[in-house]
Amino acid sequence: VVVAQHHGIAACCITTGSERKIPFELLKKFQVAFPSGRIAVVADRDQQGRDKTPELAAQLREVGYDARVVDFG
């Protein structure tokens, strides 16, 4: 996140845990701050995080974002 922000890329880290979706309240804040656009959902380094990442990207696509999974692993 720090490196992305250093290069002028909006970035955040969501610690929802591998068993939850993005909380509704946070998703609403996203939609206000970033009404549209592409979002890269970067996979965690553990297997649970990697398994959950596609679901989080799908949740973002459901509300209109062009969300894609990125795995640096």
Side-chain angles (χ1 to χ4, degrees):
V1 171
V2 173
V3 173
Q5 290 176 343
H6 173 77
H7 290 284
I9 300 169
C12 68
C13 179
I14 302 171
T15 56
T16 62
S18 61
E19 61 282 334
R20 293 181 26 202
K21 290 186 170 192
I22 299 169
F24 179 72
E25 296 79 20
L26 182 57
L27 197 53
K28 283 175 40 179
K29 289 180 181 182
F30 260 13
Q31 291 175 299
V32 170
F34 308 103
S36 64
R38 285 188 263 174
I39 296 179
V41 182
V42 180
D44 284 349
R45 300 290 293 169
D46 64 356
Q47 192 58 48
Q48 283 182 318
R50 285 190 172 130
D51 292 344
K52 187 65 175 179
T53 304
E55 294 175 36
L56 296 174
Q59 184 183 5
L60 290 165
R61 284 192 295 273
E62 287 173 6
V63 296
Y65 290 105
D66 177 9
R68 299 167 192 239
V69 173
V70 177
D71 188 341
F72 291 119

